[in-house]
Amino acid sequence: MIQEELRKQTAAAHQQLEKLVVARLKNIRNNDDYADLLKIFYAYFSHLEKAIIPYISTEVLPDYTERRHAISLANDIVSLGAELTGLPELFVPTIDNTVKALGALYVMEGSVMGGKIIIEMLARNGVQKGISFFGGYGSETGAKWASFTAVLNRYIHGNSEQEAIEAANQTFSNFTDVFRQSCNSPV
């Protein structure tokens, strides 16, 4: 199963990003802090979506239009009373085919899996608005992940596996770079 190979081959890059995100989450004390975090996600996810969209049609991923998108991050930011300004500069991986798009989308879709934990962390610090993005698909999260991994298995096999893994690793790495720059974290 390609999702297991993606998980194994991107574990180091995933852990680097997760460490930065968790550190930032632990320092959130109010809605402004949280809005600043969401702006990082919004900036990255909106740029990545633009790179992916030419290669992910409903023929590839039938429910793509129903999945989380950067617009839900934008709505969360606005619900916190913030504006979509002061966004970080960033780079996303070069996406030029469906396999790379699915590799990058693996990172985006996988981010929903920790959403419940993130919402609990935020609630401990009194943040209860602007959580629709991390709420993901609610009770449908498991089913959405299963349908996504079925698409991965249909489109990524043989020689294309490495291409998907590289796109996923680059997606994690570029997002990590954005967090480092935005959070003034050490390299």
Side-chain angles (χ1 to χ4, degrees):
M1 296 285 213
I2 184 60
Q3 74 268 19
E4 287 303 314
E5 196 61 27
L6 278 162
R7 185 185 56 75
K8 284 191 291 188
Q9 297 294 325
T10 63
H14 183 185
Q15 288 171 353
Q16 284 183 328
L17 175 60
E18 189 174 81
K19 183 178 176 182
L20 293 171
V21 172
V22 169
R24 182 74 181 254
L25 282 164
K26 287 180 177 180
N27 288 313
I28 290 175
R29 298 293 176 252
N30 54 48
N31 286 350
D32 291 340
D33 292 344
Y34 179 46
D36 288 343
L37 172 94
L38 289 179
K39 286 180 182 183
I40 298 168
F41 274 85
Y42 171 75
Y44 193 72
F45 277 38
S46 64
H47 280 76
L48 193 56
E49 281 178 7
K50 288 175 188 166
I52 288 172
I53 197 67
Y55 306 100
I56 302 293
S57 66
T58 53
E59 288 177 10
V60 174
L61 186 59
D63 65 350
Y64 182 67
T65 58
E66 301 164 21
R67 290 182 176 266
R68 296 177 315 150
H69 296 285
I71 191 68
S72 64
L73 285 160
N75 292 337
D76 284 348
I77 292 166
V78 170
S79 77
L80 293 165
E83 297 180 9
L84 295 174
T85 58
L87 301 177
E89 292 185 28
L90 54 89
F91 296 96
V92 295
T94 300
I95 306 294
D96 55 14
N97 63 44
T98 299
V99 168
K100 289 180 183 178
L102 288 170
L105 196 53
Y106 166 82
V107 176
M108 294 175 74
E109 283 295 309
S111 71
V112 76
M113 303 310 277
K116 184 177 178 183
I117 294 165
I118 291 171
I119 290 171
E120 290 171 4
M121 289 177 75
L122 293 167
R124 283 193 292 267
N125 288 322
V127 176
Q128 297 182 0
K129 285 184 185 177
I131 58 173
S132 69
F133 181 78
F134 289 118
Y137 306 118
S139 64
E140 294 296 311
T141 298
K144 287 280 194 187
W145 181 251
S147 68
F148 176 68
T149 58
V151 169
L152 290 178
N153 289 320
R154 190 170 341 134
Y155 282 88
I156 302 171
H157 40 77
N159 294 336
S160 65
E161 284 186 16
Q162 193 57 41
E163 196 171 28
I165 290 165
E166 288 172 12
N169 269 318
Q170 192 64 53
T171 301
F172 276 123
S173 294
N174 288 21
F175 200 17
T176 298
D177 290 344
V178 175
F179 258 91
R180 283 187 178 130
Q181 292 166 7
S182 297
C183 303
N184 296 323
S185 297
V187 175

